[in-house]
Amino acid sequence: MSGAAGAVCAIGARGLILRPLPLPVASPKETVRLLQLQIESEFPLLPEDLAWGWIPWTQTPESAANPARQTVLVAAVKKEVVEELTSLLKPLATELIFTPSALARTALVPHDVPSFALLEIGRTQSELIVWEEGSAPSIRLPA
């Protein structure tokens, strides 16, 4: 389909794992290899059963004290979740970007607001994200 736009796909927090992981500083290719090993040892499913990605995490006191270490934020969900969305949306979009829904909702807040909380109340679950001074320390599923 020519002229198709990209699409942002928001993944709900239930079943989504967000975890900061400390790693040695390495090239992006080596970082992926190290992450596969970490995911295999720390996550409930094997890396090949997950759809996962990572971004560099903000400087932590640990990584500031040791420049040979870095912290990355890993997001992972069962591969079936992403495959289902991809099969539905790929015919309509040239690029699919997957993100936690709580983070997608932060786009609604003006950029000059450094701290805020967003609560999404759903029929069967709710999600709370608290943003403090430019970062989100946690996403919670209130009971």
Side-chain angles (χ1 to χ4, degrees):
M1 173 180 220
S2 65
V8 175
C9 303
I11 305 285
R14 185 153 321 274
L16 176 70
I17 301 169
L18 284 176
R19 186 174 299 167
L21 295 175
L23 297 171
V25 172
S27 70
K29 185 177 179 179
E30 184 66 12
T31 298
V32 169
R33 190 184 72 72
L34 292 169
L35 281 171
Q36 287 173 326
L37 294 171
Q38 286 285 96
I39 289 169
E40 194 169 323
S41 68
E42 294 189 29
F43 285 45
L45 297 172
L46 294 173
E48 56 269 12
D49 296 330
L50 295 168
W52 61 276
W54 65 279
I55 59 171
W57 193 237
T58 57
Q59 192 81 351
T60 63
E62 177 185 291
S63 61
N66 185 352
R69 304 286 295 169
Q70 65 177 328
T71 302
V72 298
L73 180 65
V74 176
V77 69
K78 284 185 178 179
K79 194 178 273 187
E80 295 84 34
V81 173
V82 171
E83 288 172 343
E84 183 178 333
L85 288 169
T86 299
S87 68
L88 289 170
L89 297 173
K90 194 61 176 172
L92 306 173
T94 56
E95 179 183 21
L96 300 177
I97 299 169
F98 294 92
T99 188
S101 58
L103 292 178
R105 285 190 289 276
T106 64
L108 301 171
V109 178
H111 295 283
D112 60 346
V113 178
S115 300
F116 58 88
L118 291 173
L119 175 63
E120 185 269 330
I121 300 174
R123 196 173 66 150
T124 60
Q125 74 180 33
S126 299
E127 293 179 12
L128 172 67
I129 185 168
V130 178
W131 201 266
E132 297 173 355
E133 298 301 322
S135 69
S138 66
I139 298 173
R140 303 204 188 274
L141 296 170

